[in-house]
Amino acid sequence: MYQKRLLLYCLAPILFISLVSPGLAAIKLVDTEMYKVDLYGFFKFDATFQDNPTNSLIAPRFAVAGSDNATGFTAMNSRFGLNIVGPKIPGDWKVKGTLELDLFDGANRNQMKFRTRHAYLTLSKGTVTVLAGQFWDLFSPLGPTTMMTNGYMWNTGNLGFRRAQLRITVTQENFNFALSLNDPTVPGAIATGMPILQARLGLTLGNKKQTKLGLSTAYGKDRHSTFGVESDVNIAGISLDWIIPATDKLIVRGEFGMGENLSVFLSRAGVFQDTPNNAFDGVKVMSFWAEILYKLKKASLWLGYAFENLTENEQLGLATLQNTNCIFSGIQYHMGGKVSFGLEYTHFMSGYLQVDDKAKTNQLILSVIYGF
């Protein structure tokens, strides 16, 4: 309790400064020869309406069976971050630290708690950058354009998440390569004593270097036991990501991934227990999302599609959620002063193994955002 109060006392003056300093991309809190500290983030209000149930009103990812509509208002997707740049360290390395918090709380929409999203430092020199701390995965690193801040198409096409890691990146003119050791996160993977390994090769193409292609992979082990017999199940995946500008205003973005036992990356693909043979196997999965993003001076529009399919029927029980799909479209209008309004429509469809009726949900999200 004391730590929570201390955190609130420390953040209170920072939040006050942000409220009385509208219209800035970032707020400079400290700017000296030794240190630079910037505040960034946004306040975000979301109103969600849906005609049938999803897995969660505050983090919607797929449709579930039922016919009850729902309405929810929340500000928990608001976000606050600090960037701290310090003096160079011996060897002429540049150092930077980032702390980013939000208010997400799956248990209570009105008595929210601070939650750590990112907390990391970077050391950079020339073409080499070392990152240590909690940050996004290298595997499947992009994210869709959506008002569903904590739904984010996870379980329905989007794979990568964030976790503690040690990463090294080498950047050249037309490509970059990164390798990371990552926290195993789940109990079975922790029990193996092995980190999750991730790597990504990125290409930058075109005269303006705006076309970006990436190939990433992940590998780990996940230990399970039954009747006194232990076995390690692979965590393995490969993903292709792309950002392709068709014109100066029209961009095509997306990812395609496949693998097995990728639940650590917020996939629905976990571990299949073959009871008769006293064995375990990783559930195989295929994931995809893509969008067309059109940017105007005062507005952004997007249209996209996403799916995640568990591909091996023999690994699934009757009525298991096998396929999740969604079509999403939205518009965000920037009225000036870093204030914007967003409206997004999503149609979710979920298919269950050997069940004829699909679960379907129509969802509408209205967002009001003040960025700083």
Side-chain angles (χ1 to χ4, degrees):
M1 191 60 155
Y2 171 76
Q3 292 177 337
K4 292 181 180 178
R5 289 180 179 176
L6 180 61
L7 180 60
L8 288 173
Y9 293 151
C10 292
L11 285 177
I14 296 173
L15 298 182
F16 174 76
I17 292 172
S18 70
L19 285 171
V20 299
S21 306
L24 299 176
I27 299 169
K28 292 189 178 298
L29 303 181
V30 177
D31 190 359
T32 68
E33 292 184 4
M34 293 289 289
Y35 288 97
K36 299 182 185 300
V37 181
D38 292 339
L39 172 71
Y40 69 92
F42 52 78
F43 296 94
K44 187 169 187 278
F45 165 81
D46 294 304
T48 303
F49 310 90
Q50 53 194 45
D51 61 356
N52 288 313
T54 57
N55 63 296
S56 167
L57 185 61
I58 60 174
R61 295 172 185 172
F62 53 84
V64 298
S67 58
D68 296 329
N69 55 24
T71 299
F73 293 174
T74 186
M76 68 170 58
N77 296 316
S78 300
R79 190 176 302 170
F80 313 100
L82 292 173
N83 282 324
I84 304 172
V85 178
K88 292 182 180 180
I89 61 175
D92 206 31
W93 287 83
K94 298 178 182 178
V95 59
K96 175 184 174 182
T98 296
L99 172 65
E100 186 174 287
L101 309 172
D102 67 10
L103 300 174
F104 182 79
D105 185 349
N108 194 316
R109 298 206 297 267
N110 295 312
Q111 297 294 329
M112 300 166 289
K113 303 174 183 177
F114 283 106
R115 179 186 68 159
T116 304
R117 285 173 48 84
H118 295 153
Y120 64 92
L121 65 90
T122 59
L123 301 173
S124 58
K125 180 181 179 182
T127 62
V128 178
T129 300
V130 177
L131 182 148
Q134 180 163 300
F135 193 54
W136 292 115
D137 284 315
L138 280 173
F139 176 64
S140 188
L142 300 186
T145 304
T146 176
M147 292 295 156
M148 292 184 287
T149 306
N150 280 291
Y152 213 44
M153 310 304 172
W154 286 311
N155 293 176
T156 306
N158 187 23
L159 289 174
F161 194 52
R162 55 181 175 266
R163 70 196 76 243
Q165 60 188 273
L166 181 62
R167 176 193 299 191
I168 184 168
T169 304
V170 178
T171 303
Q172 301 294 331
E173 182 179 1
N174 294 316
F175 76 93
N176 59 78
F177 178 76
L179 180 68
S180 64
L181 302 177
N182 301 262
D183 178 66
T185 306
V186 295
I190 293 171
T192 67
M194 172 183 171
I196 295 175
L197 308 176
Q198 298 184 40
R200 181 179 180 273
L201 174 65
L203 301 178
T204 304
L205 308 173
N207 294 331
K208 297 182 180 180
K209 309 297 184 184
Q210 293 180 335
T211 298
K212 298 179 181 180
L213 303 175
L215 181 66
S216 56
T217 185
Y219 181 77
K221 289 289 187 179
D222 186 7
R223 182 163 297 166
H224 290 262
S225 62
T226 183
F227 304 116
V229 177
E230 284 190 344
S231 60
D232 288 349
V233 182
N234 287 337
I235 299 170
I238 187 168
S239 175
L240 176 67
D241 60 86
W242 59 89
I243 301 175
I244 303 173
T247 69
D248 289 340
K249 297 179 180 179
L250 187 66
I251 302 171
V252 180
R253 305 171 67 252
E255 294 178 324
F256 172 78
M258 57 191 307
E260 57 184 277
N261 189 21
L262 294 179
S263 58
V264 70
F265 297 102
L266 295 193
S267 165
R268 292 179 294 106
V271 172
F272 164 68
Q273 182 175 352
D274 185 357
T275 304
N277 295 317
N278 194 22
F280 295 90
D281 195 12
V283 174
K284 294 178 174 56
V285 65
M286 181 182 298
S287 293
F288 170 87
W289 70 267
E291 66 182 21
I292 301 171
L293 178 63
Y294 190 66
K295 293 186 175 182
L296 299 170
K297 184 176 181 180
K298 286 279 191 175
S300 300
L301 300 91
W302 59 91
L303 173 65
Y305 174 69
F307 73 79
E308 181 176 280
N309 296 340
L310 306 184
T311 58
E312 301 292 337
N313 289 358
E314 60 270 19
Q315 295 181 324
L316 310 175
L318 178 65
T320 297
L321 178 55
Q322 183 179 29
N323 305 319
T324 52
N325 305 261
C326 76
I327 300 169
F328 58 101
S329 62
I331 180 171
Q332 185 173 5
Y333 175 71
H334 311 280
M335 65 175 295
K338 298 299 178 180
V339 175
S340 64
F341 295 85
L343 184 65
E344 183 173 50
Y345 166 76
T346 305
H347 179 67
F348 293 98
M349 299 163 286
S350 298
Y352 296 80
L353 185 63
Q354 298 182 5
V355 176
D356 293 334
D357 293 335
K358 290 183 178 292
K360 299 179 180 180
T361 302
N362 295 297
Q363 176 188 268
L364 194 66
I365 296 180
L366 171 66
S367 297
V368 183
I369 305 167
Y370 168 55
F372 53 90

